[in-house]
Amino acid sequence: MKGNKHKISFLLVLLMILTTACQSPTSSSEDQTKKDSKEVKNESASGNDHVLDLMIPNYYNDVEKQQWASVVEKFNEINPDIEVNITNGDVQVESGKLPTLLQSGIEPPDVILMNAGPGRVSILSDVNLIQPLNNLYEKNKWKDDLRTFAYDLISKGENIYEVPHMIDTIGMFYNKDIFKQNGVEVPTNKNEFLKALQTLKDEGVAPITVGARNGYAIGWIFGVMMESVMGTEQVEELFYGDGKWNDPKVVEVAEMIADWVEKGYITKESVTQTQPDSKFRFLSKQAAIEAEGTYLITDLADQKLEDSVNMFMMPSFVDGDVAQPVGGIGLTWVVPTKAKDVEYAEKWMDFILSEDYSNIVLNLPDYNFIPASKASENIEPVGDVLKTAMKSIEDGSGYNPSVFMGVEAKEAYYQNLQGLVGGLVTPQEAMDNIEKGAEKDRANGFSLK
């Protein structure tokens, strides 16, 4: 019965996300899904019997593409007998394309770099689309190779299904010259932060831009605000404890974001902007601040803006507390149940956790991720922004809510935060609606151990 419940839940989830994908103007069509799946099979067919097939997210730009070329070159130097074949694609569970690929009769890649989060990984593991990696962890001592809090995030269940690739670090990116021109210093406490927003507003500068039309982007800033106002432990209660989305403290965060829109701290255009629109607005210096992750670094490198942008963590609003960056595991490696060469996948994941890998990427001035490996902890990155981000997670990371939520709660989370910015729902109504979504997820068997 338990197994049937998981299968039924998965089919319902898959039907919903596929329906959502068909309705979304940014989603690929069913034909494109089939085309991508064929490309995975065709590109893996080479004359070499020793081929490692990787599937990774689509490149942000040519900067990131070159980064991957450097990584593969190093792997080949260590493993000259293995040919690495990379396929790019949609690796988000939400779009439905990754589950569809793994359920199809097409031979899957040996290892996949997917968007992380227990809510995503469990959808695949519950119906046996990906393999448990317990034996590989024991054999290679990967627990000792991972940052402690990275391992803790992925090892709460009976089985481990993933090898974390990088740590998400989401904070407040800011234009240094805008701050300087308006006499604003990087804030270190609540009062300084609110004063900075008001000063920028009074000087005619848009303080914060958000791409609210993309749910994940409005989720970024809401997560940052939750961490500052509530603290990590109380946010954690929402996902692993008995916390409710309509608890007064969460409603307080919703009231704050509505207040910031009303005061003009968050630009009113944010409700109609996509995340790319907001990013363009920020990078073209039409706004002072944008809540982003370190993935922005490749854009900074691409546009030669490395020296004019940096990031800070929103100060804690809790007396005596220090707000951690919002995040968790950003991208993670999983091995399909039908993978052809698990041995090669093992070699690849072992390489990702090695000092060799960290030395390669952290010495690239335009690298944009914080490796999840312990080997990376004592290597100072070349890039200043990544250096700031790595320092901020020395004591751990907070939670990016969307990657710890069930499907119903996440859909309600995105829709109601958009409605909050647009003035369509009150803060209490928004949080009540998200809690109703979470209740549906719990009724469907969703829980994080």
Side-chain angles (χ1 to χ4, degrees):
M1 287 295 292
K2 185 177 180 182
N4 287 337
K5 182 179 178 182
H6 281 312
K7 291 178 181 177
I8 291 169
S9 297
F10 175 77
L11 290 173
L12 289 172
V13 168
L14 185 59
L15 178 61
M16 187 184 77
I17 56 183
L18 286 173
T19 302
T20 302
C22 290
Q23 293 173 341
S24 171
T26 60
S27 297
S28 300
S29 66
E30 183 178 352
D31 289 341
Q32 185 62 45
T33 300
K34 294 177 181 176
K35 178 176 179 292
D36 289 348
S37 299
K38 289 178 182 177
E39 286 175 356
V40 170
K41 181 177 180 181
N42 292 339
E43 291 184 13
S44 298
S46 73
N48 189 346
D49 292 334
H50 305 286
V51 177
L52 168 64
D53 286 320
L54 303 180
M55 186 173 186
I56 66 174
N58 294 313
Y59 299 125
Y60 282 108
N61 48 39
D62 287 339
V63 171
E64 190 177 36
K65 185 176 182 179
Q66 185 54 51
Q67 291 173 356
W68 277 102
S70 299
V71 168
V72 170
E73 183 180 358
K74 185 63 178 180
F75 179 81
N76 284 147
E77 180 185 317
I78 299 170
N79 301 277
D81 57 325
I82 301 176
E83 176 187 336
V84 178
N85 174 48
I86 290 183
T87 300
N88 299 94
D90 185 341
V91 293
Q92 296 188 65
V93 170
E94 292 92 333
S95 72
K97 293 182 72 175
L98 184 56
T100 299
L101 170 64
L102 294 176
Q103 283 193 315
S104 72
I106 295 167
E107 187 175 278
D110 299 310
V111 62
I112 297 172
L113 184 61
M114 64 175 283
N115 289 77
R120 291 163 172 155
V121 173
S122 63
I123 287 176
L124 304 181
S125 64
D126 284 351
V127 289
N128 301 316
L129 292 178
I130 55 177
Q131 302 183 24
L133 304 176
N134 301 48
N135 290 339
L136 296 184
Y137 266 84
E138 185 175 350
K139 174 185 173 184
N140 297 288
K141 296 181 171 51
W142 283 342
K143 176 182 178 180
D144 298 332
D145 292 336
L146 282 166
R147 292 173 184 259
T148 301
F149 73 94
Y151 179 79
D152 288 344
L153 282 173
I154 55 94
S155 61
K156 295 182 184 295
E158 179 181 352
N159 291 313
I160 300 177
Y161 288 91
E162 57 186 304
V163 171
H165 179 69
M166 51 79 74
I167 305 299
D168 241 349
T169 307
I170 300 171
M172 296 298 204
F173 277 78
Y174 70 102
N175 277 300
K176 293 194 288 187
D177 49 355
I178 292 181
F179 270 40
K180 185 176 180 179
Q181 289 163 10
N182 293 281
V184 174
E185 300 286 340
V186 174
T188 60
N189 56 50
K190 172 184 175 180
N191 291 335
E192 289 178 3
F193 183 71
L194 294 177
K195 181 180 178 181
L197 297 181
Q198 186 63 51
T199 298
L200 291 165
K201 171 68 171 22
D202 291 344
E203 294 295 329
V205 177
I208 301 173
T209 178
V210 181
R213 276 184 59 190
N214 295 111
Y216 62 87
I218 187 64
W220 289 341
I221 190 169
F222 195 77
V224 168
M225 295 170 69
M226 286 175 66
E227 171 66 29
S228 292
V229 174
M230 298 168 59
T232 303
E233 288 186 9
Q234 192 167 352
V235 174
E236 190 176 67
E237 274 294 302
L238 286 171
F239 310 119
Y240 293 103
D242 299 324
K244 305 293 184 185
W245 281 94
N246 51 4
D247 280 350
K249 203 66 178 177
V250 191
V251 175
E252 181 183 334
V253 182
E255 290 170 344
M256 182 179 293
I257 200 168
D259 181 57
W260 286 7
V261 173
E262 180 67 26
K263 289 179 176 176
Y265 295 167
I266 294 176
T267 61
K268 294 190 181 297
E269 295 87 352
S270 292
V271 71
T272 61
Q273 288 182 151
T274 63
Q275 201 277 323
D277 294 333
S278 179
K279 180 166 64 175
F280 173 81
R281 186 183 183 92
F282 173 73
L283 293 178
S284 61
K285 304 186 187 303
Q286 298 175 49
I289 300 169
E290 186 185 39
E292 268 267 16
T294 56
Y295 9 88
L296 184 67
I297 293 173
T298 57
D299 291 294
L300 300 179
D302 191 46
Q303 299 185 33
K304 311 295 186 215
L305 294 171
E306 303 102 312
D307 295 333
S308 64
V309 172
N310 209 326
M311 69 184 302
F312 64 90
M313 302 307 136
M314 182 173 158
S316 176
F317 284 29
V318 180
D319 289 340
D321 201 1
V322 176
Q324 294 180 318
V326 169
I329 309 301
L331 293 169
T332 198
W333 295 97
V334 295
V335 179
T337 300
K338 299 178 182 178
K340 174 171 56 63
D341 291 308
V342 177
E343 180 184 349
Y344 292 166
E346 176 186 358
K347 286 181 179 293
W348 176 262
M349 292 184 291
D350 198 53
F351 165 68
I352 292 296
L353 297 180
S354 72
E355 188 174 349
D356 286 320
Y357 172 78
S358 290
N359 272 323
I360 285 292
V361 296
L362 295 179
N363 278 289
L364 296 172
D366 46 27
Y367 192 64
N368 57 334
F369 292 148
I370 299 173
S373 66
K374 194 167 286 184
S376 68
E377 290 182 333
N378 298 318
I379 302 173
E380 186 172 82
V382 173
D384 286 338
V385 179
L386 195 60
K387 199 177 299 182
T388 300
M390 281 188 68
K391 186 172 180 56
S392 74
I393 65 155
E394 286 178 346
D395 296 323
S397 172
Y399 292 88
N400 180 13
S402 63
V403 303
F404 294 89
M405 303 169 87
V407 174
E408 295 285 352
K410 185 185 298 185
E411 183 179 9
Y413 180 70
Y414 289 158
Q415 288 180 351
N416 283 276
L417 292 185
Q418 290 166 336
L420 199 56
V421 174
L424 302 178
V425 292
T426 67
Q428 185 67 58
E429 288 170 343
M431 297 303 105
D432 284 342
N433 291 336
I434 297 170
E435 178 56 29
K436 288 176 184 176
E439 289 172 358
K440 290 180 182 178
D441 287 325
R442 289 191 285 268
N444 288 332
F446 177 83
S447 67
L448 300 180
K449 299 179 180 63

